[in-house]
Amino acid sequence: MGRITIAEMEELSQDLKWVVQLGIIIEAIDDGSARLRLPASPDVLRPGGTVSGPAMMTLADYAMYAAVLGAIGRVELAVTTSLSINFLRKPPQADIVADCRLLKLGKRLAYGEVMLHSDAEPDAPVAHATTTYSIPPNR
C-alpha cells in the first residue's frame, strides 16, 4: 500500500491546473508505482489525429510524481530533474494509460520508468520514459 491515497493525490492535484485541464485520472498508487489514464479528447490531439507528445510527456511526468509520493508520502516539493521519452509508435485516438514504477529510491533522488500504451492496444507500447525526481532533504 502506498504512503499517499488516490483521494489525497487528487486533492493535491486541484492546484495543478494542467492535470485538471487534461483530465488525468489516477487509477492506482502503491509503494513506488502508479497507474494513470489520459482520457481521449480533442484537446490532446495534434494535427493528423494522434495524441500529442506534450500530453504524453505530461502524463508520464505526473505518473512518476504519483509513484514517488506513493513511496515517500506527501512531499509536495519533490520535483522532476530529468525526463527522457522515446515515442515508439503513433497512438490511436483512445485513452493513454501510464504504468510507472520506481527503479531506485534514494535519500535525495528517485529514478523510475513509465510505459505508456493506448487503451485500444494494451500490448503495444506507444512511448517509454525514464525520469528522475529530486526529493527535498527535509521531508
Side-chain angles (χ1 to χ4, degrees), residues 52-124:
S52 74
M56 289 191 287
M57 291 175 74
T58 300
L59 177 64
D61 185 38
Y62 189 55
M64 179 64 172
Y65 188 49
V68 169
L69 296 191
I72 66 173
R74 190 169 178 157
V75 180
E76 295 175 29
L77 293 179
V79 296
T80 309
T81 58
S82 73
L83 186 148
S84 176
I85 192 164
N86 292 293
F87 299 103
L88 305 173
R89 64 182 43 83
K90 177 182 173 182
Q93 293 181 23
D95 290 3
I96 301 295
V97 177
D99 287 305
C100 179
R101 67 184 179 114
L102 297 185
L103 300 174
K104 182 174 188 324
L105 177 62
K107 290 181 182 182
R108 296 293 214 96
L109 295 175
Y111 178 78
E113 70 173 352
V114 185
M115 292 297 298
L116 291 98
H117 68 271
S118 167
D119 200 34
E121 300 172 342
D123 294 330

Side-chain angles (χ1 to χ4, degrees), residues 14-35:
Q14 294 309 306
D15 292 332
L16 305 174
K17 301 302 181 201
W18 44 273
V19 172
V20 175
Q21 288 171 343
L22 290 174
I24 296 173
I25 299 164
I26 304 164
E27 294 186 348
I29 300 176
D30 205 348
D31 184 6
S33 66
R35 182 181 184 102

